[in-house]
Amino acid sequence: MTTASKRPEPEVLADPSELTPEWISAALHAGGHDVTVRAVTSEPVGTGQMAHNERIHLEYEGDGGGMPRTLVGKFPSLSEESRASGARGAYRSETAFYTQLADRLPCATPACFYGAIAADEATFTLLLEDLAPKRQGDQIAGARDDEIEAAVRNLAGLHAPFWGDSAIAELDWLVGGISEEYAGFIEIVTPLFIERYQDRLPSEDAETLRAFAPGVRSWVERRPPIATLVHGDYRLDNLMFERTPSGVEVAAVDWQTLSVACGGQDLAYLLGNSSPPEQRRAHESRMLEVYREAMAEQGVVLSAEAVRSDYVYGSFQGPSITMLGSMAVGQTDRGDEMFMAMAARSCAQIRDLDALARIT
């Protein structure tokens, strides 16, 4: 597996229609798998906003040596607008995550069989483990408490290994995270978001967003001193769930927004967006304790007060990603419905936590 640091072999594909048995065979050989594919078919899968996913069905010469019969291929978005957004570092970050970091973390993710990105950073290809029978979460419908708890525990597997670790600086392919530039983007997109959705956005939510925009630079300046790796978009659409006799299993996908930031941003974003406010209010305290316990199991001991403080700080991840995401990708009916659900839930979370007091 390779990234844009050298010419990838085989060449990166821009479109899943270019998949052939010869190309798949070469890609698997590059990953150390001595198999030959004799037939390949695929169909779209998932609801990705910034990239395009295909489930790839494979037929091998012989028994295939135990290789999977299906993979998930990830390619640049078919939307020119979304593809341009991905080329600003997101495609590079995700490709590097899968090829350089994923197998070192105790956070469940798909295995990667091939990953490469072209020099233009707008064309990339990933061949990933097909997680079926796990099923994608539904950002609009929400999730049950045990599914959210499984996602919280999995999150500790991402946060704990690099908690306060200066070695993160060596990962020079990471997306920038929150910064003065980031704050400027929030100031720009907030009135655009409110204007686009003015007929669907309740007045109290619009008021919360307007109050956040002038405080976003304070939010950046007051970020907690201990940072770690954060997914950045850790929500139901980017989580795969399966119910087993032993409980709920979960794996995280879509690593295009990985950055260095406050771990509470992922935690607050997950809890704030995964369920209606009344459900979140009922389980919020317990989920914060679940996170604290899971971090301790990974060797990072945190006080309940520290976890809650980071959580309150991180509640602004919800409106940030909602507004930036809605303006960065092609507009769709489902996307609009999703962004409205996320805006309503995250704004309610901010009000419940009195989080605006932290940045004013």
Side-chain angles (χ1 to χ4, degrees), residues 296-350:
E297 291 170 2
Q298 296 288 342
V300 177
V301 178
L302 302 169
S303 69
E305 294 76 14
V307 170
R308 183 169 182 82
S309 178
D310 283 0
Y311 175 74
V312 174
Y313 174 86
S315 62
F316 295 105
Q317 185 78 358
S320 297
I321 298 301
T322 299
M323 293 190 293
L324 290 172
S326 70
M327 297 297 166
V329 300
Q331 193 170 2
T332 64
D333 289 343
R334 185 188 185 277
D336 286 347
E337 186 178 358
M338 180 187 74
F339 290 129
M340 287 298 91
M342 293 170 65
R345 293 170 186 175
S346 61
C347 285
Q349 180 187 41
I350 287 169

Side-chain angles (χ1 to χ4, degrees), residues 34-52:
D34 187 17
V35 293
T36 299
V37 176
R38 63 182 178 85
V40 55
T41 57
S42 69
E43 73 273 351
V45 64
T47 58
Q49 292 283 314
M50 193 163 315
H52 177 78

Side-chain angles (χ1 to χ4, degrees), residues 14 33 37 44-45 52 71 74 115 133 175 182 192 203 208 215 219-220 232 234 246 249 255 262 264 301 315 327 351:
H33 304 287
V37 176
V45 64
H52 177 78
L71 296 172
K74 192 161 190 176
V175 177
Y182 186 95
L192 299 176
S203 59
T208 299
W219 183 53
V220 172
Y234 195 81
S246 59
E249 294 183 0
W255 293 87
C262 169
V301 178
S315 62
M327 297 297 166
R351 293 192 294 269

Side-chain angles (χ1 to χ4, degrees), residues 134-359:
K134 286 184 173 65
R135 302 185 64 159
Q136 182 184 27
D138 188 327
Q139 197 63 47
I140 300 169
R144 291 171 44 166
D145 281 11
D146 57 352
E147 294 170 327
I148 296 171
E149 180 174 340
V152 169
R153 293 188 181 280
N154 192 50
L155 189 58
L158 171 65
H159 289 176
F162 282 97
W163 190 263
D165 190 342
S166 61
I168 300 177
E170 299 173 7
L171 306 177
D172 59 1
W173 41 264
L174 289 172
V175 177
I178 64 171
S179 61
E180 286 297 316
E181 182 181 27
Y182 186 95
F185 290 147
I186 297 296
E187 291 170 336
I188 291 169
V189 303
T190 298
L192 299 176
F193 180 85
I194 293 172
E195 181 181 7
R196 174 186 285 185
Y197 296 109
Q198 58 184 326
D199 294 336
R200 303 177 63 174
L201 194 65
S203 59
E204 63 177 349
D205 293 341
E207 183 179 345
T208 299
L209 297 176
R210 289 193 186 99
F212 170 46
V216 67
R217 293 186 185 275
S218 175
W219 183 53
V220 172
E221 293 168 0
R222 298 183 187 188
R223 56 185 175 269
I226 299 179
T228 189
L229 286 179
V230 299
H231 183 285
D233 200 17
Y234 195 81
R235 57 185 175 83
L236 297 181
D237 274 6
N238 293 334
L239 297 170
M240 304 289 290
F241 295 96
E242 180 184 5
R243 294 188 172 277
T244 70
S246 59
V248 177
E249 294 183 0
V250 63
V253 299
D254 285 353
W255 293 87
Q256 297 165 354
T257 51
L258 191 71
S259 68
V260 179
C262 169
Q265 291 171 227
D266 274 343
L267 183 60
Y269 185 68
L270 171 68
L271 298 187
N273 285 289
S274 294
S275 53
E278 58 272 19
Q279 181 184 353
R280 188 253 310 151
R281 293 172 188 134
H283 66 219
E284 187 172 58
S285 294
R286 182 169 63 84
M287 294 299 178
L288 297 188
E289 185 59 23
V290 166
Y291 176 78
R292 191 168 79 90
E293 292 173 355
M295 289 291 284
E297 291 170 2
Q298 296 288 342
V300 177
V301 178
L302 302 169
S303 69
E305 294 76 14
V307 170
R308 183 169 182 82
S309 178
D310 283 0
Y311 175 74
V312 174
Y313 174 86
S315 62
F316 295 105
Q317 185 78 358
S320 297
I321 298 301
T322 299
M323 293 190 293
L324 290 172
S326 70
M327 297 297 166
V329 300
Q331 193 170 2
T332 64
D333 289 343
R334 185 188 185 277
D336 286 347
E337 186 178 358
M338 180 187 74
F339 290 129
M340 287 298 91
M342 293 170 65
R345 293 170 186 175
S346 61
C347 285
Q349 180 187 41
I350 287 169
R351 293 192 294 269
D352 288 347
L353 297 173
D354 193 24
L356 285 167
R358 286 279 296 264
I359 61 172

Side-chain angles (χ1 to χ4, degrees), residues 118-132:
D120 64 2
E121 298 193 353
T123 307
F124 78 103
T125 310
L126 288 166
L127 295 182
L128 303 172
E129 174 188 5
D130 184 354
L131 294 174

